């Protein structure tokens, strides 16, 4: 239900997001999936179920099957091969990037250890797009109990700092938004206010993950620094 207020906010602000969708959602909520596809939004693979994380307790065969199933089912539902992988709850094993790369995806967004894209040592090379849990709505408002009224202020502060630092080298501000939380009637106004803070600023390129990864690959190729083995 919370998905539709979020759709309205994104439409109003003309934001083209990356939508992280697991394969079970493709089957269970086709109306929401159609709404995203009709808008031309990027769909990234988000595993198979919200309750099934990748971990090192899985065997390689189990993990390989999980990743293959998720990618194939999302691809079939969307009619196109996805470019990105966003793991459930940032869950990975040490094998995950290599297995994702084997399936021909372009980027992975599970590593919050930087504020710029960087190449990973996979074959072929994945681009890591940092996604910061510090600004994730569930981390802030659900787990840490930060009041939703503070959300726009937090996003504004992060954006101001990254814009300043990005004067010489670009920075990424990635906001994880979950409709079941931020789409609630008493929260959606603060979600809109936070996003409006970002899009109103000069010097911000609002782009989905696939566009950022493609731009980064092009830049790295021009520098002669990105090949199959970076």
């Amino acid at each position: 239900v919370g998905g539709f207020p979020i759709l309205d906010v994104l439409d109003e602000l003309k934001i083209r997001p990356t939508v992280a969708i697991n394969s079970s959602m493709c089957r269970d909520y086709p109306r929401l999936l159609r709404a995203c596809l009709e808008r031309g939004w990027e769909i990234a693979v988000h595993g198979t179920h919200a309750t099934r994380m990748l971990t090192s307790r899985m065997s390689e065969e189990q993990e390989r099957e999980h990743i293959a199933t998720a990618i194939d089912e999302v691809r079939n539902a969307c009619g196109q091969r996805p470019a990105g992988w966003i793991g459930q709850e940032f869950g990975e094993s040490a094998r995950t990037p290599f297995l994702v790369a084997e399936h021909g995806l372009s980027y992975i967004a599970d590593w919050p250890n930087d504020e710029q894209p960087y190449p990973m040592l996979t074959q072929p090379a994945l681009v890591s797009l940092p996604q910061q849990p510090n600004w994730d709505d569930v981390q802030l408002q659900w787990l840490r109990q930060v009041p939703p009224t503070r959300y726009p202020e937090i996003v504004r502060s992060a954006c101001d700092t990254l814009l300043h630092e990005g004067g010489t080298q670009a920075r990424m501000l990635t906001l994880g938004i979950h409709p079941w939380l931020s789409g609630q009637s008493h929260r959606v106004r603060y979600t809109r206010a936070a996003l409006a803070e970002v899009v109103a600023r000069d010097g911000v390129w609002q782009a989905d993950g696939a566009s950022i990864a493609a731009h980064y690959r092009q830049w790295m190729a021009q520098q002669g620094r990105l090949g199959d083995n970076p």
Side-chain angles (χ1 to χ4, degrees):
V1 173
F4 295 98
I6 296 296
L7 290 176
D8 290 341
V9 168
L10 296 174
D11 285 345
E12 177 190 351
L13 298 176
K14 297 180 173 57
I15 292 175
R16 294 174 58 84
T18 292
V19 184
I21 288 184
N22 60 51
S23 56
S24 65
M25 189 217 157
C26 294
R27 297 189 300 270
D28 297 340
Y29 300 99
R31 183 182 172 195
L32 270 175
L33 177 59
R34 283 196 305 271
C36 296
L37 293 174
E38 288 168 356
R39 288 164 169 79
W41 292 348
E42 183 205 356
I43 306 297
V45 185
H46 199 36
T48 62
H49 299 75
T51 55
R52 301 180 188 177
M53 290 174 56
L54 295 179
T55 76
S56 296
R57 294 182 179 182
M58 302 172 74
S59 68
E60 181 172 344
E61 291 73 22
Q62 289 172 325
E63 184 174 4
R64 189 183 299 275
E65 181 180 0
H66 178 106
I67 291 172
T69 297
I71 292 174
D72 289 345
E73 292 188 359
V74 171
R75 178 191 60 199
N76 293 337
C78 298
Q80 58 188 9
R81 173 169 285 278
W85 177 274
I86 301 174
Q88 292 285 348
E89 305 297 337
F90 301 91
E92 282 194 1
S93 75
R95 300 179 296 258
T96 303
F98 300 93
L99 297 178
V100 169
E102 285 179 9
H103 285 83
L105 272 64
S106 176
Y107 73 87
I108 192 166
D110 292 345
W111 292 55
N113 59 336
D114 211 321
E115 292 170 346
Q116 297 177 304
Y118 59 88
M120 304 195 80
L121 299 177
T122 59
Q123 180 69 29
L126 280 175
V127 174
S128 175
L129 297 184
Q131 184 180 188
Q132 300 295 346
N134 289 329
W135 309 318
D136 181 274
D137 57 355
V138 171
Q139 293 278 344
L140 281 172
Q141 299 178 47
W142 188 261
L143 297 177
R144 301 179 188 175
Q145 296 293 297
V146 174
T149 53
R150 287 197 55 206
Y151 184 56
E153 171 198 347
I154 291 170
V155 172
R156 178 172 61 250
S157 296
C159 187
D160 286 344
T161 299
L162 293 172
L163 266 175
H164 176 73
E165 294 176 349
T168 54
Q169 289 188 327
R171 299 292 192 270
M172 281 188 62
L173 173 65
T174 306
L175 300 177
I177 295 174
H178 297 74
W180 63 266
L181 183 73
S182 290
Q184 292 180 1
S185 298
H186 67 292
R187 282 191 170 98
V188 71
R189 70 174 66 183
Y190 304 109
T191 305
R192 184 202 176 283
L195 294 175
E197 290 279 356
V198 176
V199 299
R201 278 164 167 69
D202 293 333
V204 171
W205 177 38
Q206 193 280 307
D208 58 31
S211 299
I212 297 171
H215 179 79
Y216 177 77
R217 285 180 176 278
Q218 182 181 22
W219 180 80
M220 288 291 285
Q222 291 172 348
Q223 307 299 312
R225 295 165 56 190
L226 183 64
D228 288 340
N229 294 289

